Amino acid sequence: MDTDNFRKEYIELIASVREYMEEQLRLGFMEAELSEPEQQSPYADFDLPALATDAGNCTKCPLHETRNSVVFGVGNTNADLMFIGEAPGADEDRQGEPFVGRAGQLLTQIIESGMKRKRADVYIANVLKCRPPGNRDPEADEVATCSPYLMRQIELIQPKVIVALGSFAARMLLDTKIGITKLRGEFHECNVAGLQVLPHKKPPVIMPTYHPAYLLRNPSAKRDVWEDIKKVLAFLAQG
């Protein structure tokens, strides 16, 4: 059996069924009987390769019309630590990898020089997988459309800690409107409805901190970020 062709056909079948059901719901021919967790996890049967393929073909919002690349995520798929940012920038859109521009170089420095880890040992992703034109802020409908990909990434990786880089990531993961300045510096419980955790695992804790792009504009905030990172290191050291 050609495994690659089978996987491709399976992904296409799942996508077709999902699109058909969504269309039937919109037209009123079906009643929504899904439980809340199922509504929150449309990719529950996807592994990471299948999820990445689906995201790579996504046309669910207008951002696909202006992107060069889908920036899915990169790193250790068994990582105990995830970094989640807002959305790809111009460099990320060109290269198809998150955090590779100036802000990404600073994040790599924090991971490798500060935390004494390799970048490849953590997992890095964004809330949005496509770059908003002109690096504008993500819109609410874009976050709602794209965030299920991120939620499934979290479910598959099962990290112990997520560092939420900036307000958009923190607000989505914590379901809050509080700004990053008030959120940073303390661990918070992940507050995403329907997030599935393995029986032997605990839900990840969230450490909000400033986005590296903010640090490029406000170098004095680097001290605050380092204090946040030290708390993350101490938490992970507890095992």
Side-chain angles (χ1 to χ4, degrees):
M1 178 183 294
D2 190 327
T3 303
D4 290 338
N5 284 338
F6 178 80
R7 178 185 293 276
K8 181 179 179 182
E9 292 174 1
Y10 174 77
I11 293 170
E12 291 175 348
L13 175 62
I14 293 295
S16 297
V17 171
R18 186 171 64 247
E19 290 174 2
Y20 171 78
M21 292 181 67
E22 290 173 349
E23 181 66 19
Q24 295 300 297
L25 285 169
R26 282 196 296 269
L27 295 174
F29 296 140
M30 296 174 61
E31 294 184 1
E33 297 180 351
L34 296 177
S35 66
E36 185 66 19
E38 289 174 321
Q39 290 178 343
Q40 296 293 329
S41 303
Y43 308 107
D45 295 328
F46 284 48
D47 60 13
L48 277 171
L51 192 69
T53 299
D54 192 90
N57 296 322
C58 181
T59 58
K60 298 180 183 68
C61 84
L63 291 182
H64 79 276
E65 299 172 358
T66 55
R67 73 186 180 214
N68 289 306
S69 303
V70 170
V71 185
F72 181 71
V74 68
N76 183 355
T77 56
N78 295 307
D80 59 2
L81 175 61
M82 283 185 73
F83 288 87
I84 296 176
E86 174 182 313
D91 292 309
E92 291 75 18
D93 182 50
R94 282 193 296 269
Q95 300 184 40
E97 182 174 332
F99 285 93
V100 293
R102 290 183 62 220
Q105 293 168 12
L106 180 53
L107 177 61
T108 300
Q109 182 180 350
I110 290 170
I111 295 168
E112 297 187 345
S113 299
M115 304 186 79
K116 307 302 181 185
R117 291 188 170 209
K118 295 180 180 178
R119 178 180 163 107
D121 290 339
V122 305
Y123 195 88
I124 304 173
N126 283 304
V127 175
L128 297 190
K129 306 307 183 193
C130 299
R131 180 197 181 199
N135 289 354
R136 62 162 171 75
D137 290 343
E139 297 179 354
D141 59 335
E142 294 166 351
V143 173
T145 300
C146 205
S147 58
Y149 286 119
L150 177 62
M151 292 303 97
R152 184 59 181 157
Q153 285 174 296
I154 295 171
E155 290 177 344
L156 290 165
I157 295 167
Q158 298 278 315
K160 294 179 180 177
V161 180
I162 296 174
V163 177
L165 300 168
S167 289
F168 279 93
R171 288 173 178 174
M172 193 210 76
L173 292 167
L174 302 178
D175 189 23
T176 183
K177 295 183 179 179
I178 299 174
I180 192 68
T181 300
K182 293 184 178 180
L183 291 173
R184 62 149 293 271
E186 301 293 337
F187 287 109
H188 302 261
E189 293 183 1
C190 187
N191 195 23
V192 176
L195 185 68
Q196 301 297 303
V197 180
L198 294 174
H200 63 286
K201 293 274 192 175
K202 295 180 179 180
V205 296
I206 312 297
M207 172 59 78
T209 195
Y210 296 122
H211 194 285
Y214 176 82
L215 300 183
L216 294 175
R217 302 189 300 270
N218 301 274
S220 62
K222 289 181 179 180
R223 182 179 296 274
D224 291 331
V225 172
W226 178 234
E227 292 302 316
D228 300 342
I229 293 298
K230 285 195 294 185
K231 291 180 181 179
V232 171
L233 288 170
F235 183 93
L236 292 172
Q238 296 173 4

